[in-house]
Amino acid sequence: GDIFFEMPLGEKAGALSAYATYQYNDYGRNYLYSAYGTGNMIYGQLGYALPGDRNKVRFQPYVAYCYNTYDATTDERMTAKAGINTYLSGHHSKLTLEYQYSKFGSAANNAITLQAMIYL
């Protein structure tokens, strides 16, 4: 099950968006491969589009959190993210800069990604 909420705030096109989901995945008994496995997942994301002109550069900072448990192990997976979307031409072109911290059992990782989406 999942839920999505978005609400405009103020007169200059600011907006709050939120997404949350719970999943139970059944890939087979004790299946576990990378981040996919039989078990439970809870995920949430919260973002705020800063007020501004919709036809100019806009920014949307966000945070996200994911928590997984798997039938194949007692180790839990946790991922926390913080980033910012930069909309260059409405929703047609976007740059995303994101920091991610993840931990699975005793292993922890940090990552920084830069992603581009360009609509031609």
Side-chain angles (χ1 to χ4, degrees):
D2 65 346
I3 188 166
F4 176 75
F5 173 81
E6 188 168 69
M7 184 172 97
L9 296 174
E11 297 177 15
K12 295 208 178 230
L16 178 68
S17 62
Y19 175 72
T21 186
Y22 166 79
Q23 289 182 345
Y24 175 75
N25 299 301
D26 187 354
Y27 295 103
R29 184 180 166 166
N30 291 330
Y31 181 84
L32 180 60
Y33 178 74
S34 185
Y36 301 98
T38 296
N40 299 290
M41 179 191 76
I42 297 172
Y43 175 83
Q45 183 173 344
L46 181 65
Y48 178 66
L50 299 174
D53 186 334
R54 292 180 186 174
N55 298 316
K56 295 184 179 178
V57 174
R58 301 270 314 270
F59 298 98
Q60 180 188 39
Y62 66 91
V63 294
Y65 181 80
C66 186
Y67 178 78
N68 300 75
T69 59
Y70 302 105
D71 294 348
T73 181
T74 58
D75 291 340
E76 301 165 340
R77 178 183 302 273
M78 182 279 300
T79 304
K81 302 177 180 182
I84 189 161
N85 294 314
T86 303
Y87 297 96
L88 303 171
S89 177
H91 284 274
H92 294 289
S93 296
K94 176 180 81 163
L95 293 174
T96 300
L97 180 63
E98 179 181 272
Y99 167 75
Q100 174 181 299
Y101 171 79
S102 60
K103 185 173 187 214
F104 185 34
S106 62
N109 295 301
N110 294 288
I112 295 176
T113 58
L114 178 62
Q115 175 184 347
M117 190 279 301
I118 301 168
Y119 176 77
L120 301 174

